[in-house]
Amino acid sequence: DTGVSQDPRHKITKRGQNVTFRCDPISEHNRLYWYRQTLGQGPEFLTYFQNEAQLEKSRLLSDRFSAERPKGSFSTLEIQRTEQGDSAMYLCASSLAQNEKLFFGSGTQLSVL
Amino acid sequence: GENVEQHPSTLSVQEGDSAVIKCTYSDSASNYFPWYKQELGKRPQLIIDIRSNVGEKKDQRIAVTLNKTAKHFSLHITETQPEDSAVYFCAASMDSSYKLIFGSGTRLLVRP
């Protein structure tokens, strides 16, 4: 499968625990995005990488969220001290260049109990 | 920042009829407008996109129109089929920004 892959598909955790998600973009894509989607809403931008550089982070993203892309390939998104409001689908996407087609992964569904 | 409004939130049509979904954007600098289709439990998939240097683009039964003056763009699906049933999202971005801003989605139901 040469598409964007995300792991895990589902994550159930207790409030206060830390979670980490992984995204593997399409191999030749140098741009990687994280979005969050709640039921009945469109994807909401969280952060963006060009190669290994994190170029933008949403003001909506609290300090509990951190993302990395250490070698410009896969990326991780960590949420510390999870809260029930963090429950959502976390989508990763990649593209070859700016304003080029964004390809999404299947997402990680997070449930915080 | 950019804001994208989408309507209607739900749309039910008879198989074979046309469906139209409309979006408006706030930032006149936006110049890229994709449309995504998301089936239940699946990833959003790009179905068509348009750039601000053209007013209309077609791909088989799907077309998108753009009115830069009014800052709105629309998705048109003709001869709808039950497999067109899904949630459709519009989005907008600009050269100076890296991110797509999405509308809130339209749930399309095509009745057989």
Side-chain angles (χ1 to χ4, degrees):
Chain A
D1 185 356
T2 57
V4 179
S5 61
Q6 291 187 244
D7 184 70
R9 289 295 307 275
H10 305 276
K11 179 70 177 177
I12 300 173
T13 190
K14 292 183 178 179
R15 190 175 51 188
Q17 298 294 305
N18 299 343
V19 294
T20 300
F21 311 141
R22 177 180 170 123
C23 170
D24 287 88
I26 294 172
S27 59
E28 63 268 25
H29 286 186
N30 58 1
R31 298 170 186 266
L32 186 147
Y33 306 77
W34 285 99
Y35 282 80
R36 176 171 61 192
Q37 186 177 27
T38 54
L39 200 61
Q41 298 297 316
E44 173 190 39
F45 171 80
L46 295 180
T47 190
Y48 157 76
F49 290 86
Q50 182 174 327
N51 299 312
E52 65 276 8
Q54 187 174 18
L55 297 186
E56 188 169 348
K57 187 175 176 181
S58 170
R59 290 191 300 266
L60 302 174
L61 216 56
S62 78
D63 292 342
R64 297 184 296 105
F65 288 72
S66 61
E68 295 183 342
R69 194 182 183 197
K71 297 183 179 178
S73 56
F74 74 92
S75 174
T76 58
L77 177 68
E78 181 183 16
I79 309 174
Q80 297 181 326
R81 305 181 302 281
T82 52
E83 302 172 356
Q84 288 185 325
D86 297 332
S87 296
M89 174 73 80
Y90 289 83
L91 292 165
C92 176
S94 69
S95 70
L96 190 57
Q98 189 168 330
N99 277 358
E100 288 296 330
K101 303 177 192 305
L102 227 60
F103 293 88
F104 281 90
S106 296
T108 294
Q109 181 67 53
L110 173 66
S111 298
V112 181
L113 306 178
Chain B
E2 175 66 281
N3 184 51
V4 178
E5 302 277 344
Q6 181 172 351
H7 59 96
S9 57
T10 58
L11 179 60
S12 180
V13 300
Q14 195 70 38
E15 182 178 358
D17 287 349
S18 295
V20 181
I21 302 170
K22 299 181 179 181
C23 289
T24 59
Y25 59 98
S26 59
D27 196 324
S28 56
S30 290
N31 57 6
Y32 176 62
F33 309 92
W35 286 86
Y36 284 81
K37 176 183 180 181
Q38 188 173 28
E39 298 177 30
L40 189 62
K42 296 191 176 181
R43 72 187 75 192
Q45 291 196 308
L46 179 70
I47 55 171
I48 195 168
D49 57 5
I50 192 169
R51 299 185 187 277
S52 60
N53 56 347
V54 297
E56 184 175 4
K57 184 177 179 180
K58 286 185 179 180
D59 183 3
Q60 299 182 344
R61 296 186 298 109
I62 294 173
V64 57
T65 58
L66 171 65
N67 184 327
K68 288 171 56 181
T69 302
K71 291 191 284 187
H72 65 70
F73 56 113
S74 301
L75 177 71
H76 305 253
I77 306 175
T78 59
E79 301 172 21
T80 53
Q81 302 167 2
E83 51 265 37
D84 294 330
S85 296
V87 179
Y88 291 81
F89 294 99
C90 62
S93 72
M94 62 188 84
D95 282 341
S96 62
S97 171
Y98 306 103
K99 58 182 181 281
L100 283 177
I101 303 299
F102 284 84
S104 55
T106 296
R107 183 173 298 280
L108 174 64
L109 173 65
V110 180
R111 306 186 305 274

